[in-house]
Amino acid sequence: MNEKQAQTLGWIATAMSVMMYVSYIPQIMSNLSGHKGDFIQPSVAAVNCTLWVIYGLFKKQRDLPLAAANMPGIVFGLIAASTALL
C-alpha cells in the first residue's frame, strides 16, 4: 500500500469511527427519557478514546486521522455515561 492509499484508508476509518461514536445519540436520548442504559461501556470507551487521542497527537509523527477518529468518542462516551447515571 502506498502512502496515498494508506492516508485514504485512514480517513475512511476515521469517518467510520466517528459514526460509531455518534451512534451513542440514541442511548443518550433514551437515558434522558428515563430508560437508563449502562454507564460502564461508554465510560470505558471515553477513557480508551482519550488515550488514543493523546497517543495520536503527541507521538513523534502525529497521527491526525487516529486522533480525529477518537475525539467524538470522548465527548459522546462521557455524555452517554453521565446521562445514564443522572
Side-chain angles (χ1 to χ4, degrees):
M1 179 180 317
N2 66 38
E3 184 62 30
K4 182 162 177 59
Q5 291 170 326
Q7 186 175 21
T8 300
L9 179 60
W11 284 109
I12 291 169
T14 296
M16 294 301 297
S17 184
V18 169
M19 288 190 291
M20 179 176 62
Y21 294 119
V22 168
S23 70
Y24 278 131
I25 292 173
Q27 180 181 348
I28 293 166
M29 292 170 54
S30 291
N31 289 342
L32 294 173
S33 299
H35 306 288
K36 302 293 183 179
D38 190 23
F39 74 95
I40 295 172
Q41 194 278 334
S43 299
V44 172
V47 171
N48 182 49
C49 290
T50 300
L51 296 173
W52 280 113
V53 168
I54 292 168
Y55 172 79
L57 293 178
F58 293 103
K59 70 181 210 163
K60 188 171 184 172
Q61 289 188 344
R62 286 188 178 163
D63 190 340
L64 294 180
L66 178 70
N70 284 284
M71 284 183 193
I74 298 169
V75 175
F76 288 113
L78 290 175
I79 293 171
S82 64
T83 57
L85 292 171
L86 300 177

